[in-house]
């Protein structure tokens, strides 16, 4: 899926449009998603993410809907 980090926003952005549409259409199963560092999913690089209960910077999911 890829993703980019914004220094200004201090956050990551992932474009998961096709995946979510596939889940809604029934193309993909509605299973949990995992976030793994590195292209192969195994890496010594680490990213620390705040959970949804973090008092200052909770993790959140923003969905933007558009029509064409």
């Amino acid at each position: 899926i890829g993703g980019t980090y914004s220094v200004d926003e201090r956050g990551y952005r992932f474009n998961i449009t096709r995946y979510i549409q596939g889940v809604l259409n029934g193309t993909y199963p509605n299973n949990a998603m995992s976030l793994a560092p590195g292209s192969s999913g195994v890496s010594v690089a680490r990213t620390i993410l705040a959970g949804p209960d973090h008092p200052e910077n909770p993790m959140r999911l923003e969905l933007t809907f558009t029509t064409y």
Side-chain angles (χ1 to χ4, degrees):
I1 293 176
T4 58
Y5 178 74
S6 170
V7 175
D8 295 333
E9 295 178 9
R10 297 181 60 201
Y12 288 91
R13 288 186 174 259
F14 300 93
N15 187 345
I16 57 173
T17 306
R18 289 184 183 158
Y19 175 76
I20 296 297
Q21 187 64 52
V23 170
L24 295 174
N25 290 340
T27 305
Y28 305 123
N30 188 8
N31 296 333
M33 292 182 66
S34 298
L35 182 65
S39 59
S40 65
V42 178
S43 172
V44 296
R46 298 287 184 255
T47 300
I48 299 173
L49 301 173
D53 293 331
H54 191 276
E56 296 174 20
N57 297 309
M59 182 188 307
R60 66 187 193 280
L61 174 64
E62 289 184 14
L63 299 176
T64 304
F65 295 92
T66 60
T67 57
Y68 296 98

